[in-house]
Structure formats: structure tokens, C-alpha cells
Amino acid sequence: MAQSQDNTQEPVAGRAPLIVGGYDFRSLTEAVAVPVERKTPIGWWFFFLPSLAMLGLFGVSIGWLFWEGTGIWGLNNPVNWGFAIVNFVFWVGIGHAGTLISAILFLFRQKWRTSINRAAEAMTIFAVMCALVFPGIHVGRVWVAYWMFPLPNQMDMWPNFRSPLIWDVFAVSIYGTVSLMFWYVGLIPDLATIRDRAKTRIKQIAYGIFALGWRGSHRNWLHYERAYLMLAGLATPLVLSVHSVVSMDFATAQLPGWHTTIFPPYFVAGAIFSGFAMVMTLMLICRVLFEMEDIITMRHLENMAKIMLLTGCMVGYAYGIEMFIAWYSGNPYEQFAFANRALGPYAWAYWIMVSCNVLTPQLFWFKKMRNHIGWLFISSILINIGMWFERFVIVTSSLHRDFLPANWDYYQATFWDFASLIGSFGLFFTMFCLFARFLPLVATAEVKTVLPEADPHQGEELVRVVPAGAGTEPAPQAAPAGGGGS
Amino acid sequence: MAHGPRIVHLDQLVIRPGSGWARLPLIAGAVGFVFTIVSIVLARSSPESTKQFFHSWLVAVVFFLCIGLGCLFFVLIHHATKAGWGVVVRRLAENLACTVPVLAVLFIPVVALGMYDLFHWTHADAVAHDRLLQVKEPWLNETGFWIRTVIYFVVWSGLALYFRNASRRQDDSGDEALSRRMARFSPVAVAVFAVTLTFAGFDWLMSLEPHWYSTMFGVYFFAGTVVSAFAALTVLTLAFERSGHFRGVVTGEHFHDLGKLLFAFTVFWAYIAFSQFFLIWYANIPEETNWFLSRLHGTDHNPANWRAATMLLAIGHFAVPFFFLMPRTIKRNRTLLLIGALWMLAMHLWDVFWLVMPNLHREMTFSLLDLTSLLGVGGVFLATAGWLLSRGSLVPSRDPRLVESLAFENI
């Protein structure tokens, strides 16, 4: 494929094209549908089989956990919460970028979202699945995992409604449900396209069932658009609320390092940060593998890099303010918790976190680095390492030295801790590989709306400006058709 | 669909001589001057009044500063995102942001005189017996306070003047490089703005109760600031439309967007305010609950007094506007949107009052000085804004995205 047109330079008037490569409605459908329809490319197996192996490791580690109990993990007395909660928070966070892209960027009319929202939403659902495994398995007595839910039972036992842990159950399950609906509603028109193009009976029936009888009629679209707007409105508060509730798992406690009021927005910013890094990693691979460099263009990558810079700075702001207030509070326990974080036994983790999360994105101030595919890939991985460490630092460095020095201990992860972490990546990537193989990776119908020919006012002059001192002679100055949104 | 393009005459987009806007600087200036004098006279009547004056003045200056700073934020974010829709209202925000240097003149001398009455941590005898205040002394000392305050004002004024001047230079030259330069500089400016605003909130408001601390406080101050700015911008745009200056320039589409942003930041404020309150309430640590207790309890004589104020904030700054501003119809209806925006301005004033006044009154009381200070500072603020607005075009007339903004539709 020829070198793509550079659409990262936004003209001062008008907008740079979002999609390059001269696509029209028909060729766009082709480009998205063909990867679903053709024979499985050999490259796909290179990603799928290792993912499946990692998923197998997940199964083994969970099986061993159920057999042997949580003793196989590195938990000890002050650090009762180890990798399980770290992984849970990490995965819930990953999901947030999908919801931000599909809901908040939709409300902000950021039309570049259309090329990446489908994959990002799919990522959200898989991330939530990974997240939900950990509360389920971490309790040791997994056969009573249903106690997490407020189910009526013969013992009149209810979960403590004042505990943030049950708010988590509500928050994350609502989040998962709404994300799934949002994703699925968006998929319907594209599923119908695949159904209509399908050559075999099995495919026609399989895609046909999930296309819910979509006919692409005016009424279909009217209802679709309305449902989409409503789901976007509902999902927007969820972007903020879910990770706020997760942050309250820590912040409602009295433990220094956990109890601080900035936690809710700080967690949300971090979640979006890591989520965008994950979308970046996935998109960089997918756009090459499925030959979509002209649909998921450099401009999309650059915009994601800008959001990573913004959220990375927000996270850095929160680290700084936490440190400052810990000192300013004059509270010796607060001061100790933060000094211990930066200089104590977990200093190595703290500085990994700071360098990955705060320093790495700073290079995105430069356009050259935002357009550097190699750096985008490396930084997206580094950021996710950093964001995993952020949760690790919060959990372990606060717990391992609490108020009583007699209780101090050092948390050391075991093989099985790492196995469940790596295994959860296996679940995530397996699901994503299946998605990329069998479902359209890009929301075709939505991308078509950002093509120039979709604009009803294309080339039409809507407003004419008469410059000062020009008398009655109107200067022809055409209104730019549509608008890309940066 | 054969109606032709909408014609906009740029030479009409200036304040017309003889309109109310042309008289605004003089009238508002006179009101401001008179009420400033009245406030000073009242302040000198007794030591209690002096103390009251400093607090009332702080409320008034911070309230109007928030509008200016929030407008500065709007300008910065507008350039940073290369936004198109809002170009028609951007000049109004640029001008309101340039009230900040004038408000600095109202802030610095009064607060300098009132340091002892406003800030407990300036009392040497109190510090001598208070370990916490001793620990905080490297931050909470008068020299540091004033160095930082001057830095905040210099940074904000510099940013506000830079963006207004560059935009006005473009009116004359039409130079597109100016748009590029502003877009390139604005993200850095946002970062600087975020840090200065946070520490200004810590210094001027949080340190009124020097024992209390909250990492969220900077974000809380920011949220209220942006709410007040969008409310003020909406009111000003509506006023220019009503006076005929903006007829055919701004449309229901622009009001719809302004309303959406006002709504969004109202909800954001509630999210931040609730999170801050809730985490402190839940953990129930005495060092932190103290600040809220003085806002939830009055005296034995009148226990429910500040609690009513807090309730009003929760209901009036969130619950009511949440339902009122949500429907599309209200954001596109001029009269109803005006009511909503004025209400949010009033609620933001209430927010600032609620942040400052428990420092002075254990029991909520109003004073004549609250009103005279508000009119004094408000008069000067409006006079400055009116004068700035009269100095050129009311829209960035040769901004390359002006036509995009004029033709903008919500879809």
C-alpha cells in the first residue's frame, strides 16, 4: 500500500480529512468486511496461540488456587490484599478508554473516535471480564463467591451495604452491562452487512441471528441513533463513577496513603490513561495486520497520544498534590506513608511508576514523538507497566508498614501471583483475537458519516461574512463543509 | 431548500455608541467606586466591621476572579482543542479574562491589610503554641504567601493579556500564524494554569482553616470556577443578543452548547464536592471532619444554621440545576437558559461565601458589608469588562474558523 497521506496537520481554517486513501462508502465496507470473511491469515495464529497458552496458565493457576487456597499467593499479615486487587483495579481501569471514546468523545463531537470506538469498546468488555475474575477468586472460599451479591438466602445474611466492596459489585456489573449493550447496539448494522455479504448458510444464520433482523430502513436508523445517544448519555457518568467507586475501596479507609480526597478523579484519570495506552497497543498492531492504515490513521494515533499526555499529566498532578498535602497536613503518619513510598523498601516500584506514568508521556509534547510509530508502541507498553505499578504501589506500600511497626512486613509475589497476572492477559488477548477475527473491527456505518460525501451541506455556503468597511459587497467565503473535530 | 446563505456584517459587531453597553463602564465604574468607599467607611466603624469587611471583600473578589479565571480556561481549552463552534463567543471570554489584573489590584492591598484578621496562621502567639502551625510554617508564612500570590496574578494576567492581544492582532492582520501560535502555546498554558489555580485555592481559601487539608481542594476550586465562567459567558452572550449586537451571529446552536457545558460542569462540581465530603465523612478522622463540622453545625443557640447553608449548596448548586438544565428545550430557550445561568452564578457566589464565612462566624450571619463589597468589586469588574469590550470587535473578526463557528449546527 502506498504511503498514506499526512492528515496530522490541521489547517487553520477547515479540517484535515480523518480518513485517507480515497475511500468511498463501498470500498470502506470492503476494507472492513474482508478481514472477517477471508481465510484466517497465518499471522493471526501468531497472536492467538500464545494468548491461548497464557489463558491455559490462567486456568491452571486458578485451579491450583481453588485446590490449595490463597496460601499460594505471597499475602502476609499486613499485606492482605496483593495481586488480586491490583489486577482487578488495573483491568477495570483499562476498560475506561473504551467508554470514554464511545460516550464522552461522542458527546464532545470528536469524530475521529469513529475509527477506533468499536475495537475500544470490545476491549472494555474483555477488560471488565478479566477484572471480574479477581474478586470472584480472591476470597479463598470460592464456593461462597455469591455472597458478594445481595441475594436473599436462608441464613438472612446480607453483604454490608456500607462497604465499598459491595458498591464495586454494583458499579462494575452495571458498567459491564451498559458497555456490552453499547457495543452490541453499535454492532448491529455492521453484523447485518456481514450477514448480507455472507456466502455460506451457516454464516448467514449466525450473523443473521445477532443482526436482529436489521434492514437499514429509515425507521431502523432513527431508533438506532436515539438508542445510541441515550446509551452515550448513560455511559458518560459511568466513566466517572466506576473508577471513583473503585478508588473508594481504598479512600474510605483511614490508612495513610489510601485515605485522600483526590482519589476519585485521580483514579478516573489514571484509568483513562492506561486504557488509551492499551487501545494504542492494540490499534498499532491491528491497523497493520488488517491493512487499515488509512482508516486508523496517524491522526487517530496522534490524538490518542495527546489524550495520553493530558491524562498522564493529571496523574502526575495527583502524585504531586498527594506528596505536598502529606507534608502540609503535618500528620506524622501521612508524612511517613509518603516518605516510605518514595524512599522505603518499595521505592523501586514507586520510581518505576513515576518514570513510566509521568516522564514517558512528556515526550508527547513534541509532534515528532506523537507521530513516531515505534515510540508510540514502546510508550504505550511502558505506560501500562507504570499504571499496573501505580496500583501495586498504592496497595502494598500503604499496607506493608501501617501504624504498628511490630506488624511490618514485606510483600513478595510468588510464582502463582505472576501466573494469574499473565494468565489474565491471556484471557484478554484471546478474547480480542477472536473479536478481531470474527467481528468487524471498525464501525463502518459510523466511519461513513465522517466521509465528505456524508455531509448534507457539502460545498454549500451557509454563512457569508461581510468584512468591516466592505460596504455592501459580500466577500465570498464559503463555510467549510462538515467538520472533522480534532 | 433554496434559501441563500446567512449574511453577517462584521462592521456591526462592535458596541454601538449610544447603546447601554457604551455607558456601562461609566455607570458600573461609578457604582463600584461609590460602594467601595461605602464599604471602607463601614469597615472603619468598629473592629468587628473591619474584620467583617476583609471577609466580605475576599468573598467578592474571589467570586469575580473565578469568572475571569474560568473564562481564561475556556480560551485556553478552545485553542488547545482547535475548537470551531465557540469562536463567536471567544472574544467575550478573552475580555472577561483580562479583568484579572484589575481584580489583583482590588485583592492585594485589602488582603495585605487584612492578613491578621483573615488568616489565623499569621498570629505569632498562636503559632508558638501550635505544633501543626509550626510544621506548616515553611509554607504558611507571609513572605511566601505574597511571593506566591504575586506569581499567580502575574501568570494569569500575562496569559489573559497574551491571548486577548494575539486574537485582537489577528482582527487587524488576519494572520493565520497567530492561530497556530496560540494553539501551540495553549496546552503549556493549561498546565501552568492548573498548578497556579490549585495553589491559589490552597493559599487563599484552604489556609483560612490552617489545620485542615484536602488533596481535592484545588480541583474543587477549579470546578466552581469553570461553572461560574460558563454561567457568566452565557449571560453575557444572551445580553449581547438581546441588545441586537449578536442577532444573526449566535444561534440556538451556540446557546445549546454553552448550556451543555454549564450543565456538565455543574455535575462535575457536584461529583468533586460530593467525593470530598463523602470520603471525609466516611473515614471520620477528626483532623479532617473539623472543617465540615463547622459547616454542618451552628452554635448551641442555633444549631441548624450553617447546616441550612450547606443544604442549600447541595440542592441549589446541584439537584435543582441538574434537573433544570438537563432538557434540550431549556438550553435552547433564551429566557429559561438565562434563568439557569443567573441561578448558577448566584450559587457560585453562595459556594464562595460558604468556603470563607465560617472562618468568621460560628453562626451564619449576613452583613451589609457583604452587599456593599459585592457591589464595589462587581462594579469595578463590570466597568473593566465593559471598557475592554468596547475597545474592538465583539468577535474575533478574522479568525480563520469564524465562518465555521457561525455556520455551526449541533448534530
Side-chain angles (χ1 to χ4, degrees), chain A residues 117-131:
Chain A
N117 69 347
R118 168 72 45 75
E121 283 171 35
M123 180 204 76
T124 296
I125 293 158
F126 308 144
V128 172
M129 285 166 60
C130 293

Side-chain angles (χ1 to χ4, degrees), chain A residues 177-459:
Chain A
T177 313
V178 172
S179 300
L180 189 64
M181 281 204 308
F182 208 176
W183 179 67
Y184 180 60
V185 167
L187 259 173
I188 291 174
D190 284 353
L191 288 173
T193 306
I194 307 278
R195 170 200 64 195
D196 296 345
R197 291 167 54 101
K199 299 276 188 332
T200 66
R201 192 74 194 132
I202 295 173
K203 274 192 179 176
Q204 280 173 350
I205 291 172
Y207 286 103
I209 287 171
F210 288 103
L212 299 181
W214 178 267
R215 286 287 170 272
S217 70
H218 183 72
R219 278 172 70 88
N220 280 174
W221 280 110
L222 188 70
H223 290 146
Y224 171 86
E225 295 278 351
R226 231 176 247 170
Y228 202 92
L229 180 62
M230 293 228 290
L231 283 168
L234 286 173
T236 298
L238 281 176
V239 179
L240 295 169
S241 71
V242 179
H243 232 57
S244 298
V245 169
V246 170
S247 82
M248 286 171 190
D249 292 349
F250 307 104
T252 51
Q254 294 178 337
L255 190 71
W258 281 10
H259 175 73
T260 181
T261 47
I262 205 171
F263 254 37
Y266 152 44
F267 265 51
V268 172
I272 292 164
F273 184 46
S274 65
F276 263 89
M278 185 63 93
V279 178
M280 179 69 88
T281 315
L282 295 172
M283 290 299 98
L284 283 171
I285 297 170
C286 286
R287 71 195 281 270
V288 176
L289 209 59
F290 298 100
E291 287 162 15
M292 288 186 182
E293 284 104 326
D294 288 340
I295 298 172
I296 302 163
T297 65
M298 197 39 115
R299 183 190 177 84
H300 296 89
L301 303 179
E302 180 170 1
N303 283 345
M304 285 197 270
K306 284 179 182 170
I307 292 188
M308 280 151 69
L309 172 62
L310 171 72
T311 45
C313 288
M314 286 178 174
V315 172
Y317 168 93
Y319 298 161
I321 296 296
E322 269 188 338
M323 278 282 169
F324 172 76
I325 293 288
W327 170 80
Y328 175 90
S329 72
N331 179 335
Y333 297 103
E334 283 283 330
Q335 291 176 341
F336 174 78
F338 282 87
N340 182 50
R341 200 173 265 190
L343 305 169
Y346 285 107
W348 58 276
Y350 181 80
W351 293 107
I352 289 178
M353 164 187 109
V354 170
S355 34
C356 288
N357 292 349
V358 187
L359 300 182
T360 303
Q362 299 308 320
L363 284 178
F364 289 145
W365 285 103
F366 307 103
K367 183 173 173 66
K368 207 167 169 183
M369 301 314 278
R370 294 196 299 265
N371 288 352
H372 190 293
I373 298 271
W375 173 246
L376 286 173
F377 191 75
I378 294 169
S379 62
S380 72
I381 306 266
L382 285 179
I383 286 167
N384 263 325
I385 293 174
M387 283 307 297
W388 187 87
F389 269 100
E390 181 193 295
R391 281 64 174 249
F392 179 79
V393 166
I394 291 171
V395 172
T396 50
S397 87
S398 312
L399 280 174
H400 86 119
R401 287 183 169 178
D402 62 9
F403 299 99
L404 291 175
N407 284 341
W408 290 4
D409 204 344
Y410 187 82
Y411 170 81
Q412 183 81 53
T414 64
F415 169 80
W416 293 108
D417 280 311
F418 286 107
S420 61
L421 170 63
I422 295 165
S424 64
F425 275 94
L427 173 60
F428 179 77
F429 286 125
T430 305
M431 296 304 292
F432 197 85
C433 283
L434 290 173
F435 157 73
R437 175 69 196 88
F438 294 108
L439 290 171
L441 191 69
V442 169
T444 344
E446 287 196 59
V447 174
K448 284 177 186 171
T449 64
V450 305
L451 292 177
E453 53 264 50
D455 181 11
H457 297 304
Q458 196 194 359

Side-chain angles (χ1 to χ4, degrees), chain A residues 11-12 14-15 109 162 167 244 252 254 259-262 264-265 317 328-330 461-466, chain B residues 5-8 10 82 84 131 136 180 198 213-216 257 271 278-279 282-283 288 400-401 404 408 410:
Chain A
V12 176
R15 301 291 179 183
R109 296 192 293 268
R162 287 190 216 166
W167 311 336
S244 298
T252 51
Q254 294 178 337
H259 175 73
T260 181
T261 47
I262 205 171
Y317 168 93
Y328 175 90
S329 72
E461 188 185 12
L462 295 173
V463 173
R464 187 175 300 166
V465 170
V466 186
Chain B
R6 205 165 84 225
I7 310 278
V8 175
L10 286 183
K82 302 190 181 81
R131 199 195 75 86
K136 291 174 195 220
R180 273 196 208 96
T198 303
Y213 53 89
S214 166
T215 43
M216 186 75 113
D257 263 17
Y271 162 63
F278 178 73
L279 290 174
Y282 195 108
E288 295 181 343
R401 291 199 201 283
E404 182 184 336
F408 155 71
N410 269 292

